[in-house]
Amino acid sequence: MADSLNKEIELHSINCSEEYQGSLMITRCQGCYRNLRWPAPCADSWATAISCPECGQYFFTEGRSTDPPTLTEQPASTHPGIDMSHWLSKLRLMQMERPQSIELMTQLVGNSREVDERREHVRFEVENPIVGVPLDEQAKPTGVAVDVTLTDLSISGMQLAVADAWHAPLVAVDFGKLGLPGAQLIAEIVWQDADDTSTRLGCRFLLSPDGRLPLS
């Protein structure tokens, strides 16, 4: 099923590129560097996870599948025992001891950004637009992708802001709008806080041991 859908998406991207003109593209696999001219998730469109035909790494791309991959049995939250190199390279972050990490991340997110050092991992307040895909407990999409705002970030989690109520237990986020094509993560929603204007989501990243999306 996955191989068939891979071929359909690749052919669709090549032969019908006009449909995705102006869309952000995944461009290439983060694992094996195979060219993947797949459209990144876009707000108000369905997205599904597809595996790279070369190495099997999953990416969320525009489309809808009746048989999507599901969450691995025991995805791990980020902790020192996991090889973070692949994931960190996608976000251009490095796990370093303070104060080096503060200096590096401040350069990435801007000198004017506030730093929250009360947590185990340093978090930086930002305000960047990204795209989120609502997922159920098995990491299957429950609705169309939506525009979300990344409001803080660390190597273990993030905080998002969405305009409407959020009902899904997981979210897949695509960082293509930040100039990182193909950089995607799945996170568990650990808390929510809604007011009259938006809903804030506290998220903890879920990873496979090699840092890829924990799907199979």
Side-chain angles (χ1 to χ4, degrees), residues 21-83:
Q21 190 171 12
S23 296
L24 293 173
M25 308 297 284
I26 292 174
T27 67
R28 66 176 55 199
C29 178
Q30 300 290 321
C32 66
Y33 303 107
R34 176 189 175 114
N35 289 330
L36 298 177
R37 295 297 297 171
W38 298 351
C42 179
D44 301 320
S45 297
W46 281 88
T48 191
I50 302 297
S51 62
C52 170
E54 188 76 20
C55 69
Q57 180 169 339
Y58 280 96
F59 295 91
F60 282 88
T61 181
E62 280 191 53
R64 193 171 184 182
S65 173
T66 57
D67 186 25
T70 57
L71 199 67
T72 53
E73 290 187 5
Q74 293 183 326
S77 300
T78 54
H79 60 73
I82 292 180
D83 179 5

Side-chain angles (χ1 to χ4, degrees), residues 53-153:
E54 188 76 20
C55 69
Q57 180 169 339
Y58 280 96
F59 295 91
F60 282 88
T61 181
E62 280 191 53
R64 193 171 184 182
S65 173
T66 57
D67 186 25
T70 57
L71 199 67
T72 53
E73 290 187 5
Q74 293 183 326
S77 300
T78 54
H79 60 73
I82 292 180
D83 179 5
M84 298 289 292
S85 58
H86 181 73
W87 176 78
L88 291 171
S89 67
K90 292 193 295 186
L91 289 182
R92 296 176 186 168
L93 301 178
M94 293 178 61
Q95 186 176 7
M96 302 172 63
E97 296 296 328
R98 290 179 290 182
Q100 290 93 336
S101 62
I102 294 178
E103 180 179 358
L104 174 64
M105 293 184 70
T106 300
Q107 290 175 350
L108 293 171
V109 301
N111 290 327
S112 63
R113 303 304 185 187
E114 295 185 15
V115 181
D116 182 353
E117 298 186 56
R118 295 171 296 174
R119 303 172 185 264
E120 178 183 0
H121 297 131
V122 178
R123 287 177 178 262
F124 283 79
E125 294 186 2
V126 294
E127 189 172 352
N128 293 317
I130 57 176
V131 175
V133 181
L135 307 174
D136 66 14
E137 294 86 351
Q138 294 184 305
K140 295 181 180 181
T142 62
V144 297
V146 297
D147 286 321
V148 300
T149 301
L150 176 68
T151 58
D152 85 21
L153 174 68

